[in-house]
Amino acid sequence: MSQTTTGKAPVVTPVRIVIALCLIAPFVAMLWVGSYAKTEPLLAGIPFFYWYQMLWVLIATALTAVAYKLWQRDQRARRAAQGGEGR
């Protein structure tokens, strides 16, 4: 059953906090423009402004994958706990 049908409030757990941090980190990094609005250092002739953003594409992909795996594990654990309570 979903949380909306049971009327229970969402539970905040350490795993869910880590998931949220994984998903929020790329936004914070990209919104803090002052930290990367410069041309030096160059990487293979590419200004820092550009290669930093491209690096965050890779980092954001990895963090999203980690968040997804943690979410799957959390959901399996919750289903197992709910199945044990109902018996």
Side-chain angles (χ1 to χ4, degrees), residues 7-75:
K8 294 181 182 176
V11 178
V12 177
T13 63
V15 172
R16 289 184 177 190
I17 292 171
V18 170
I19 291 169
L21 291 174
C22 285
L23 296 175
I24 291 170
F27 288 103
V28 172
M30 291 294 93
L31 289 175
W32 186 21
V33 178
S35 70
Y36 63 92
K38 52 189 174 185
T39 56
E40 298 291 328
L42 298 176
L43 180 67
I46 302 170
F48 180 75
F49 180 79
Y50 294 111
W51 68 258
Y52 178 81
Q53 291 180 63
M54 291 300 107
L55 179 64
W56 268 102
V57 170
L58 300 175
I59 294 170
T61 302
L63 289 174
T64 302
V66 168
Y68 178 70
K69 290 297 183 183
L70 288 173
W71 180 257
Q72 283 183 324
R73 190 175 82 180
D74 183 60
Q75 292 303 303

Side-chain angles (χ1 to χ4, degrees), residues 3 6-11 78:
Q3 293 175 354
T6 60
K8 294 181 182 176
V11 178
R78 291 193 65 168

